[in-house]
Amino acid sequence: NGRLMPRFRFTLLLPADEPRIERVALLLQRQLIEVDVDVQLEAVPLAEFPRRVRAGQFDAFLNELVAGHGLNLTHHLWHSVPGSNLFSTGYTGANAALDQVRDARSDAETKAAVDALHRAMFTDPPAVFLYWSEVSRAISRRFEIPRDDDRDIMSSVALWRAASP
């Protein structure tokens, strides 16, 4: 492309000895250099990786996140209160909505809080999510859920109803 220096450069922290993550990192590095973004990969030992991430010692990091039942993991990952989250990103865009979810005391309050959380994370995303691996979901028959094959079932939690006996 004739340019001597990339316009932008950052270091991407990733856990060492994780072949799937390394493949994604290399693919990302190759794709971004095409638009003059130089991604320097820093693979650190698996034991060091979580410490560095929790301490916020990264420009960016690449790792797989696991979805969990309920919103506890979402709260721990993205609620920015020192010492309470899994890693230090400085993201505060969903703090008020996450507090609203935590404090909800009725189905109506929970529905409104989850809707507020969805809006907050849609308008001010906490991260760039690059890929999603294969996922399977199991929902109890105690719930009636809307059918929509075009999206993840978890996006319709607010519409679930108790099944008729």
Side-chain angles (χ1 to χ4, degrees):
N1 62 18
R3 294 187 184 102
L4 297 177
M5 289 291 294
R7 290 182 289 170
F8 185 70
R9 171 178 287 140
F10 69 95
T11 301
L12 180 65
L13 186 69
L14 59 136
D17 301 321
E18 294 285 337
R20 183 173 40 222
I21 294 172
E22 184 178 332
R23 283 192 302 272
V24 171
L26 290 169
L27 177 63
L28 180 64
Q29 184 182 48
R30 279 195 308 270
Q31 290 176 343
L32 287 178
I33 198 65
E34 292 296 320
V35 292
D36 292 329
V37 176
D38 182 15
V39 179
Q40 298 294 309
L41 304 179
E42 181 182 358
V44 297
L46 195 53
E48 181 183 344
F49 182 79
R51 182 193 61 74
R52 292 270 308 268
V53 171
R54 272 192 304 276
Q57 296 174 336
F58 59 88
D59 292 334
F61 73 90
L62 183 63
N63 197 25
E64 293 182 326
L65 295 178
V66 178
H69 179 71
L71 295 171
N72 285 340
L73 184 61
T74 302
H75 189 275
H76 287 297
L77 288 171
W78 304 117
H79 193 274
S80 187
V81 174
S84 70
N85 51 357
L86 296 178
F87 52 85
S88 175
T89 64
Y91 175 72
T92 59
N95 278 1
L98 286 163
D99 289 340
Q100 188 180 348
V101 169
R102 182 198 61 217
D103 298 338
R105 297 294 179 245
S106 69
D107 287 346
E109 287 179 7
T110 301
K111 181 179 177 181
V114 169
D115 187 52
L117 176 61
H118 180 259
R119 278 193 316 276
M121 293 187 115
F122 183 80
T123 57
D124 182 14
V128 175
F129 300 96
L130 299 174
Y131 72 101
W132 193 267
S133 58
E134 296 279 329
V135 174
S136 62
R137 305 259 189 222
I139 308 298
S140 170
R141 292 183 186 184
R142 295 179 299 168
F143 295 98
E144 292 177 2
I145 57 173
R147 297 286 178 209
D148 187 348
D149 294 334
D150 292 337
R151 62 183 185 177
D152 180 26
I153 193 69
M154 296 306 288
S155 65
S156 68
V157 169
L159 302 175
W160 295 10
R161 300 288 173 251
S164 302

